[in-house]
């Protein structure tokens, strides 16, 4: 499934608007006060990549937790939760996207076949990671995408390049990134280790997930005219009010 162009489904910069502030104050536990109205939709997201590319660090960054200073191999499977509010472009409806992130160590996945199966079971999106300081991890992305997913799968696929803040030591060129995006039709997002920018660096990735996942649900509703926001009971997505 090719990625949806940015801004097609959701308001891309809504997180910067004054209107969004009350919703973003609820990220830890979005219990809606009476004057706010937003549904919660749940999605499973698998983070895939070679050992050392920063899967655990990305999960920590997206969830607002401490980023480990030292690299350690994830010994099994770890899950974490992200709440991210967005505003739909056409209807103006606000949704809280509840992402359940799945991270599995590469060595553990090689030893135990069932781990990859568990990560892929009922998955809605896969983030394929590479490190800008490891060209081999970038070259491996194509193999991962071919091995883990099938073109017929209704799974959102996005690629994330980590350690972009270490651009002085990058092993991956912009021309390679451009060529990859053209061949695979999948956008590449850049994430570093600097957290001082707040939402600035992670917002495009979380918004892209929301954009593509909600669009995917529209497709799964069997008709382009049957929009989930107007008739959520006809979709397969669990909506929690």
């Amino acid at each position: 499934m090719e990625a949806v162009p940015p801004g097609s489904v959701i308001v891309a910069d809504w997180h910067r608007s004054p209107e969004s502030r009350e919703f973003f104050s609820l990220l830890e536990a979005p219990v809606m006060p009476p004057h706010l109205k937003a549904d919660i939709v749940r999605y499973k997201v698998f983070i895939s990549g070679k050992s050392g590319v920063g899967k655990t660090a990305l999960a920590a960054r997206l969830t607002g937790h401490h980023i480990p200073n030292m690299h350690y191999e994830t010994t099994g499977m770890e899950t974490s939760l992200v709440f991210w509010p967005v505003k739909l472009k056409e209807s103006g409806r606000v949704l809280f996207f509840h992402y359940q992130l799945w991270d599995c160590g590469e060595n553990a996945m090689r030893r135990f076949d069932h781990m990859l199966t568990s990560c892929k079971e009922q998955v809605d999106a896969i983030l394929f990671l590479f490190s800008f300081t490891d060209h081999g991890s970038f070259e491996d992305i194509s193999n991962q995408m071919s091995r883990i997913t099938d073109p017929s799968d209704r799974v959102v696929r996005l690629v994330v390049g980590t350690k972009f803040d270490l651009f002085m030591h990058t092993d991956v060129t912009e021309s390679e990134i451009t060529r990859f995006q053209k061949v695979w039709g999948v956008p590449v997002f850049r994430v570093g280790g600097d957290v001082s920018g707040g939402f600035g660096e992670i917002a495009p990735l979380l918004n892209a997930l929301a954009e593509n996942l909600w669009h995917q649900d529209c497709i799964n509703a069997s008709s382009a005219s049957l929009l989930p926001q107007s008739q959520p009971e006809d979709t397969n997505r669990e909506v929690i009010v």
Side-chain angles (χ1 to χ4, degrees):
M1 174 183 173
E2 289 196 3
V4 180
S8 300
V9 178
I10 70 171
V11 180
D13 293 326
W14 184 68
H15 64 281
R16 303 180 188 275
S17 70
E19 177 193 2
S20 71
R21 290 174 185 169
E22 282 191 280
F23 292 97
F24 277 91
S25 68
L26 303 170
L27 290 183
E28 291 296 325
V31 178
M32 298 297 134
H35 67 284
L36 292 182
K37 189 176 183 180
D39 295 330
I40 299 177
V41 288
R42 299 178 182 271
Y43 295 92
K44 179 180 177 179
V45 181
F46 172 36
I47 302 177
S48 174
K50 290 179 61 179
S51 177
V53 296
K55 298 187 294 295
T56 302
L58 177 66
R61 179 72 187 279
L62 294 179
T63 56
H65 290 101
H66 174 70
I67 299 176
N69 293 323
M70 300 289 292
H71 168 259
Y72 65 91
E73 175 74 18
T74 303
T75 55
M77 288 185 291
E78 295 181 358
T79 62
S80 51
L81 303 177
V82 183
F83 288 96
W84 185 253
V86 303
K87 185 175 184 178
L88 299 181
K89 194 171 184 178
E90 184 171 328
S91 67
R93 180 184 177 190
V94 176
L95 293 175
F96 255 104
F97 280 74
H98 177 280
Y99 301 125
Q100 185 182 59
L101 307 178
W102 285 59
D103 170 25
C104 185
E106 183 183 23
N107 290 329
M109 194 175 296
R110 288 177 176 173
R111 290 176 59 194
F112 306 105
D113 293 339
H114 70 275
M115 287 195 171
L116 178 58
T117 302
S118 297
C119 289
K120 289 177 57 179
E121 185 178 11
Q122 296 183 328
V123 71
D124 299 295
I126 301 178
L127 301 180
F128 294 93
L129 269 61
F130 72 91
S131 168
F132 274 97
T133 63
D134 179 0
H135 196 273
S137 67
F138 175 72
E139 293 177 334
D140 189 55
I141 290 294
S142 300
N143 296 328
Q144 285 189 55
M145 293 176 70
S146 299
R147 177 171 53 89
I148 296 177
T149 64
D150 186 88
S152 62
D153 291 342
R154 289 183 174 180
V155 176
V156 170
R157 302 182 301 173
L158 301 177
V159 174
V160 181
T162 63
K163 305 180 184 180
F164 187 63
D165 52 323
L166 304 177
F167 60 90
M168 293 294 291
H169 306 283
T170 184
D171 288 335
V172 183
T173 66
E174 285 300 317
S175 60
E176 288 178 303
I177 297 293
T178 301
R179 186 163 56 250
F180 175 88
Q181 292 181 122
K182 184 177 180 180
V183 171
W184 285 90
V186 176
V188 176
F189 295 85
R190 297 158 175 80
V191 176
D194 182 15
V195 299
S196 61
F199 292 143
E201 192 177 50
I202 63 172
L205 175 58
L206 292 172
N207 280 337
L209 271 174
E211 185 113 32
N212 285 275
L213 287 167
W214 195 249
H215 177 72
Q216 177 175 259
D217 277 357
C218 291
I219 294 176
N220 292 344
S222 300
S223 172
S225 62
L226 184 58
L227 296 179
Q229 62 262 34
S230 60
Q231 298 187 44
E233 66 275 11
D234 288 335
T235 72
N236 294 325
R237 179 61 45 204
E238 178 184 8
V239 179
I240 302 177
V241 181

